[in-house]
Structure formats: structure tokens, C-alpha cells
Amino acid sequence: MNDLSLHAAWLRTLPPSCGPVRLIAVDGHAGSGKSTLAARLAAVLDGAPILHLDDLATHEEPFDWTDRLRDQVVEPLSHGDRAHYEPYDWTARSFGPPRSLEPAPVVLVEGVGAGRRALRPFLAHLLWMDLPAAESWERGRRRDGPALTAFWDDWTAAERAHFSADPSRPSADVLVRQLPVGYEWLKGSGATAGVNHSVTHRDHFAPPY
């Protein structure tokens, strides 16, 4: 069993937070490695569903997706029902055909603002990818190339405004720091009693960059 499996096993023991679902948020700055961590966690959680918040955000409303998340995802999951949401197509600039999200024992919500104030009451755990904003954004810009420079300029301004008004890191249960190989999990300010033993290990996956 690798260490990430140990963390996954801990997440499975948490009380359900949204109906029968343990909703786990993976938050952090754009470019910090949230998607990679969520994918690796999902793999050791027997294919746990992942909701990418990029599918709810839009060019015009990068952070004004709370109502869509509540109505399309949180409300049905809280009743043990399958959720349906319409993913945004960033090329066509329109919403696409509905996708379903099963009320699995663990569901991961990944994206900038996943730990926002409005969502926290429904979260079983909040993970924060602990990479500084400037370093995260630089990685994202390198990944996406110069063609998206204008997009990144607009995005970073919107992200600064969001986290200034609604910071996630102070409420995180776990701070996840990427190492040359794997991750280090550290207790966050929002951690509840009993979390200590789950944040002292390291996993051994190769980093995404």
C-alpha cells in the first residue's frame, strides 16, 4: 500500500457530509497541481468521481458558479440522487450536454475556490495545494503557452479578488506540498481532531512537472 492509499483510506472513514457522500475539496491556486492530485486520489479511491470546477466556471463568471454548483450538484447529492450538470466549453464559450455525477461514497471537487465559504458546510475535508500563487501561476502560464497570456492576465486578477474576499487556505484540513517525488501532507488550520495521524506520510508518485 503506498502512502496516498493511506490518505485515501482515512478519507473513507470520514462521516458523510452531503447526504450519503463524503465531499472532498481539492483547492489551491491555478497551476498548483490540483487536477493531478485529484486524479491520483480518485485512482486509489476505486475510481471516485471528480467534479472539475472548470466545468462550472465561464469566461464571464470565473467564480460566480455557486448557484450552479448548489442546484445541479450539491442539492441532488444531498438526497442521495445522481447529479447532472452542464459542462462549460471554453472554446465554444457555451455550456454543453449534461454529464452525470454519481452519489459515490467519496466525491472529489477540484478547482480554484473548491473550499469557498458557501461550499464548506457540505465538505467532509478540504485539501489545499500549498504552492504560492506566483509560482503556481508561472507553472500554469508555461503549461498553456503564450497564446493564453491574455487569459491568464484576466484569470490571475479574478483569482486575487476571489481569495481576498473568500480565502480557502485558513480553513484547510490538510496542506499538500509537492516534493521532488510525491507529496507531503501537513495539518492545516481547519483540521479537526483525529486528523493528525493522516498527515504525517508521503506518497511516492512522480510529480506532474
Side-chain angles (χ1 to χ4, degrees):
M1 176 183 287
N2 61 53
D3 289 340
L4 197 58
S5 294
L6 296 175
H7 298 306
W10 162 256
L11 295 177
R12 287 191 182 100
T13 71
L14 297 172
S17 58
C18 184
V21 174
R22 294 157 184 82
L23 209 57
I24 308 298
V26 182
D27 202 345
H29 297 291
S32 61
K34 300 178 301 300
S35 298
T36 299
L37 177 64
R40 291 172 175 171
L41 274 175
V44 294
L45 284 165
D46 302 320
I50 304 175
L51 174 66
H52 299 286
L53 291 178
D54 285 350
D55 288 336
L56 298 182
T58 70
H59 285 87
E60 293 75 22
E61 298 177 324
F63 291 101
D64 294 336
W65 38 256
T66 304
D67 290 345
R68 285 193 290 277
L69 179 65
R70 182 192 63 235
D71 296 343
Q72 299 178 15
V73 177
V74 172
E75 183 67 19
L77 292 183
S78 69
H79 292 96
D81 297 329
R82 178 184 298 159
H84 295 89
Y85 63 97
E86 298 175 354
Y88 182 69
D89 186 323
W90 288 84
T91 301
R93 290 177 173 253
S94 62
F95 290 102
R99 291 180 188 168
S100 63
L101 190 71
E102 298 293 334
V106 176
V107 173
L108 302 170
V109 180
E110 173 276 319
V112 180
R116 70 190 316 164
R117 190 179 299 114
L119 185 55
R120 285 175 213 151
F122 304 98
L123 296 179
H125 226 50
L126 170 53
L127 311 180
W128 174 265
M129 291 299 298
D130 204 33
L131 189 69
E135 189 174 347
S136 298
W137 295 338
E138 178 59 27
R139 292 201 328 182
R141 286 176 183 271
R142 289 200 310 268
R143 178 193 64 203
D144 293 342
L148 292 181
T149 295
F151 171 83
W152 271 96
D153 290 345
D154 292 341
W155 175 267
T156 52
E159 188 177 310
R160 283 192 188 96
H162 168 73
F163 281 133
S164 177
D166 191 355
S168 297
R169 191 180 188 277
S171 298
D173 297 291
V174 175
L175 305 179
V176 183
R177 295 179 181 171
Q178 189 173 342
L179 303 172
V181 176
Y183 303 97
E184 183 177 21
W185 289 43
L186 303 171
K187 182 178 179 180
S189 301
T192 55
V195 74
N196 292 343
H197 76 276
S198 75
V199 295
T200 56
H201 308 292
R202 298 182 181 187
D203 77 285
H204 303 289
F205 287 100
Y209 295 95

